[in-house]
Amino acid sequence: MMQADVPDLGPAAQRILLGAQLRAAREARGLSTSRATEALEWRNAAKLSKIEAGTVPTSDRDLAALAELFEIPSELAASLNRLATEARRRLPPSRVPEWAARYVHLIRASEHLSLWNPDCFPGSVSTRDYARAWLSRSIVVSTAEVEQMVDERVARADHFRRDGRPTLHLVVGEAALYVAAGGPATLRGQLEHVRELAELPTVTVQVVPFERGGYAAPGSAYSIVHLFGEQRLVFVENLIGSDYLGREYVRIYGLAFEDLCRQAETPERTIKMITRRIQEL
């Protein structure tokens, strides 16, 4: 259950958190989005999906209808109402596309990040050249957006070094040490950057070696965003969009991340692996 006093995370993160809470409440009632929309008699079939994704603000009237349909307890409903009120503030301007901006705002509001990627380093720890190499190959990022998104990713990576918040636990598959997006020099620079981050007291980096076998979440990159108290969200991204998951998803993805940490080399051995790979390049 949500805490009564919610810290000011900013409207973008608040919309995402509210949407995840409502989605969890709907699923607890065993309702699909289509069944819920039908029960609410909403003409816009996509409205509920947008609210749950955190892409639109939620009015008091709509929130009251959702709370009644999902049988949300009064104390939690009151907390959601306060959260919805704060989330209706104007979003701050962003230099990246709207779909990417929501994740940027969420990270800025977080206290800790748990990141997993099986075959490359995520944008939050990318160097400029590494980010450009990957974004330039994207089929959903336009040429005009590439440099803006590169700047944003570099700023995100600097954030860990400069502010020490959020703290970071990064786990990658060993393939990330070999997939040379942008060429060997770009990969070497990326590995040097990750090694520097790994030496910070607020950052933990681990690599899952090839020989350790399968993963608990094969082929699936994701982020677990720790906000405040026990509030968690899972962020997953695919070629055409992204999703924010709460409640049971957080538990399942959290267990998968714990398994990855057990499979991975220790942080000390990981730094040695990265150093060896840098020397090979």
Side-chain angles (χ1 to χ4, degrees):
M1 179 176 294
M2 179 179 293
Q3 296 177 359
D5 295 322
V6 178
D8 188 355
L9 306 175
Q14 287 166 325
R15 289 182 190 180
I16 294 168
L17 181 57
L18 175 64
Q21 293 277 354
L22 291 172
R23 175 176 179 168
R26 172 180 60 76
E27 291 178 342
R29 290 281 294 139
L31 294 171
S32 65
T33 52
S34 59
R35 288 284 301 278
T37 298
E38 184 178 316
L40 292 163
E41 298 183 349
W42 286 355
R43 295 182 179 179
N44 186 344
K47 181 176 179 178
L48 180 55
S49 294
K50 290 180 178 180
I51 288 174
E52 291 184 357
T55 60
V56 296
T58 307
S59 69
D60 290 341
R61 180 178 179 180
D62 288 343
L63 185 57
L66 291 167
E68 181 178 358
L69 178 62
F70 300 158
E71 298 182 0
I72 297 175
S74 58
E75 182 180 351
L76 177 56
S79 293
L80 293 178
N81 189 65
R82 290 192 291 272
L83 184 59
T85 299
E86 289 294 307
R88 286 195 290 269
R89 292 175 294 168
R90 184 184 297 275
L91 290 175
S94 177
R95 298 177 59 191
V96 299
E98 188 274 337
W99 60 269
R102 286 184 295 134
Y103 183 57
V104 173
H105 291 309
L106 189 64
I107 286 180
R108 289 174 180 168
S110 66
E111 295 182 350
H112 178 74
L113 288 175
S114 301
L115 306 183
W116 156 248
N117 198 301
D119 50 24
C120 67
F121 292 99
S124 296
V125 296
S126 292
T127 64
R128 182 172 297 278
D129 290 341
Y130 191 80
R132 184 182 295 111
W134 281 103
L135 290 168
S136 297
R137 296 293 301 276
S138 173
I139 62 174
V140 296
V141 177
S142 69
T143 302
E145 294 172 334
V146 168
E147 287 305 315
Q148 290 182 339
M149 295 188 70
V150 167
D151 289 342
E152 182 278 318
R153 289 190 174 189
V154 171
R156 238 193 290 168
D158 288 343
H159 188 57
F160 294 114
R161 182 185 294 106
R162 183 179 63 252
D163 300 332
R165 180 182 177 277
T167 55
L168 171 67
H169 192 160
L170 169 67
V171 183
V172 296
E174 189 174 354
L177 278 59
Y178 289 87
V179 178
T186 296
L187 178 58
R188 182 170 59 249
Q190 176 63 36
L191 292 172
E192 290 171 345
H193 173 65
V194 171
R195 184 173 62 180
E196 291 176 5
L197 287 176
E199 293 172 350
L200 297 174
T202 54
V203 176
T204 300
V205 179
Q206 292 182 267
V207 171
V208 181
F210 290 129
E211 64 267 20
R212 293 290 164 84
Y215 307 131
S220 175
Y222 60 88
S223 309
I224 303 177
V225 185
H226 304 242
L227 292 168
F228 62 94
E230 295 301 316
Q231 296 301 317
R232 308 281 190 272
L233 289 174
V234 174
F235 172 79
V236 292
E237 187 176 3
N238 54 47
L239 286 177
I240 58 174
S242 59
D243 205 357
Y244 298 90
L245 311 171
R247 203 166 179 169
E248 183 65 8
Y249 296 96
V250 173
R251 186 186 71 82
I252 293 171
Y253 278 84
L255 290 174
F257 192 80
E258 290 175 5
D259 181 71
L260 288 165
C261 293
R262 288 192 294 268
Q263 296 261 14
E265 290 286 11
T266 65
E268 294 75 19
R269 288 182 177 273
T270 290
I271 291 178
K272 291 179 180 179
M273 288 180 67
I274 293 173
T275 299
R276 284 197 302 269
R277 184 63 184 135
I278 291 171
Q279 293 169 348
E280 293 171 357
L281 291 166

